[in-house]
Amino acid sequence: MPDAPDTPRDVSRKSIVTLVVELLNDIRQWAEAELTLARTELDDLRQRLILVAILAVVAVVILLTAVIVLAQTGVAALAIYLGSEVYAGLAMGVVLIALAGICLLAMRRQLSWKADSVLFRWLAQGRRGR
């Protein structure tokens, strides 16, 4: 009759010291992996913040340009009352304001960030409680 497959009694038992050493090694590996994940998330956050800063500068420049164009259009409208230059200026101003709005929406999207690491999730929970 063949032997039964390994039963709990047949499995060699590890000593408590070996189990503690393995546990400590697992904790060290987990901590290293968590730190690596946190560094990766910080790099991602840094890149997003740089992109947001660039988009903010572009939005401000476009908005300033739109204000100038709309101001010139207002002057032209007062001087002429009707004419193609007025409508062209208004259309250009509206397009520039729309572009600035798109940049602002892109900035908002870049600032929505979800943390994956335990460290950042823990920090985010602390902020929600305040």
Side-chain angles (χ1 to χ4, degrees):
M1 180 177 216
D3 290 334
D6 289 340
T7 61
R9 294 179 192 169
D10 294 337
V11 176
S12 62
R13 297 179 188 255
K14 295 181 180 180
S15 70
I16 191 79
V17 174
T18 305
L19 292 173
V20 169
V21 168
E22 288 178 3
L23 176 65
L24 292 174
N25 284 335
D26 289 345
I27 290 172
R28 182 186 50 79
Q29 289 173 352
W30 172 81
E32 288 173 357
E34 194 63 36
L35 285 173
T36 301
L37 180 59
R39 283 187 200 109
T40 303
E41 286 180 351
L42 277 175
D43 287 341
D44 181 52
L45 182 60
R46 180 184 49 85
Q47 290 174 356
R48 286 175 180 238
L49 289 176
I50 290 170
L51 180 60
V52 165
I54 291 169
L55 289 173
V57 168
V58 169
V60 167
V61 168
I62 290 172
L63 187 60
L64 182 61
T65 304
V67 169
I68 291 169
V69 168
L70 289 174
Q72 290 176 343
T73 303
V75 170
L78 290 174
I80 300 173
Y81 294 105
L82 286 174
S84 64
E85 291 177 10
V86 173
Y87 295 125
L90 285 172
M92 182 59 71
V94 168
V95 167
L96 290 172
I97 288 175
L99 288 174
I102 290 170
C103 287
L104 291 173
L105 289 175
M107 285 172 45
R108 181 177 178 202
R109 185 173 184 181
Q110 288 300 315
L111 288 176
S112 62
W113 178 64
K114 181 183 176 212
D116 292 325
S117 72
V118 171
L119 175 67
F120 284 114
R121 282 186 280 158
W122 176 73
L123 290 173
Q125 285 177 352
R127 287 182 53 204
R128 281 188 224 137
R130 291 181 186 171

